[in-house]
Amino acid sequence: MKQLEFHKERLRTFGLRPTKQRLDICRILFDRKNTFHFTIEKLKKIIEKNNKKKISLATLYNTIHVLKKKGYLKEISLKGNKTFFDTNTKKHHHFYDEGMSQLIDIDDKNISLNYLPKIPNGKKIKSIEVLVKIEKTN
Amino acid sequence: MKQLEFHKERLRTFGLRPTKQRLDICRILFDRKNTFHFTIEKLKKIIEKNNKKKISLATLYNTIHVLKKKGYLKEISLKGNKTFFDTNTKKHHHFYDEGMSQLIDIDDKNISLNYLPKIPNGKKIKSIEVLVKIEKTN
DNA sequence: TACGTAATTTATAATTATTCTAAAATAGAG
DNA sequence: CTCTATTTTAGAATAATTATAAATTACGTA
Ligand SMILES: [Mn+2]
Ligand SMILES: [Mn+2]
Ligand SMILES: [Zn+2]
Ligand SMILES: [Zn+2]
């Protein structure tokens, strides 16, 4: 479990105390091989099931927002009421199955797009996101 | 003003009475040359300024949802709390200036993307949306 | 280790977007 | 013009998120 020390150190690095709650959140988010796409509500359920103890919504919102601001999480552009977050902070894209509310990463190098349109004056590109919506065949 | 007759006819076509409120909405949305990107709140302000009289939020939500269901409006995939709608129902993409909450259309033929990734099994593509986020230079 | 204090968590209230409800107003057929 | 189904409306209900402020906790210092 040297992951834990890593999370502690990372939290301390930007002036945050490594509390039990923050470490619980970091473990769920980052101790995994693949990208994790989640909503706050989903994260809450997972954490509470894991350690059989409630965690406050406010703590979840606070911590997720800090991690996002520090660049360890991305928010995903989707329509709908609840916000989705993404542990993959690299430039990438998504398949999205609206029916199942499921997101799948598409590596940036698997997408090539050649756009001609002139960027509005005085503006520059900040990011490009491709969303491929999918649905059941037939 | 033969536009008005057109809106009336279109509303009647799918069994909706062409009420004063619905026609006000249609005029704002469709009697213009360019795409209109809007939120419900923005539409409400415009209509109320135009005819110096309040219109109910419920009526706006109801009518916008009907128009969307019938294919005369699209909802745009954006993060953030409020929902954006689009009078351009053709396949197209967007520049988005987050700071100004402003959307600009990009014609589909100005985007070419060649994606390799295999579509998940039993799924087919429903739509592809490209969002190019822009920001002030410098 | 114990203390003191600032940071954090928490329950709960407030806010905001959206949907629901049911009473009042209206459209339009006859 | 009358009647009735449809629509509008104000306000209530719901849902996601943010704010508040009291209780708890982390941790530097003695
Ligand atoms: Mn949205
Ligand atoms: Mn969203
Ligand atoms: Zn992702
Ligand atoms: Zn558009």
Side-chain angles (χ1 to χ4, degrees), chain A residues 15-17 19 21-22 54-56 58-59:
Chain A
L16 292 177
R17 290 181 178 175
T19 61
Q21 290 85 344
R22 284 170 178 161
K54 293 222 167 300
I55 183 171
S56 167
T59 299

Side-chain angles (χ1 to χ4, degrees), chain B residues 72-84:
Chain B
Y72 292 105
L73 289 175
K74 280 205 312 188
E75 192 179 334
I76 301 177
S77 291
L78 283 184
K79 67 193 184 195
N81 29 347
K82 39 183 75 170
T83 301
F84 278 79

Side-chain angles (χ1 to χ4, degrees), chain A residues 13-63:
Chain A
T13 293
F14 38 87
L16 292 177
R17 290 181 178 175
T19 61
K20 182 189 159 304
Q21 290 85 344
R22 284 170 178 161
L23 290 169
D24 283 344
I25 292 169
C26 285
R27 275 205 301 273
I28 300 298
L29 297 187
F30 304 119
D31 288 353
R32 55 175 75 224
K33 290 206 186 57
N34 300 317
T35 297
F36 183 43
H37 300 110
F38 65 98
T39 60
I40 295 283
E41 205 51 50
K42 183 176 167 192
L43 179 59
K44 185 166 194 286
K45 287 210 185 81
I46 292 173
I47 288 178
E48 295 186 343
K49 198 177 68 171
N50 261 30
N51 49 23
K52 303 175 176 76
K53 185 169 165 318
K54 293 222 167 300
I55 183 171
S56 167
L57 257 183
T59 299
L60 288 167
Y61 276 101
N62 288 342
T63 302

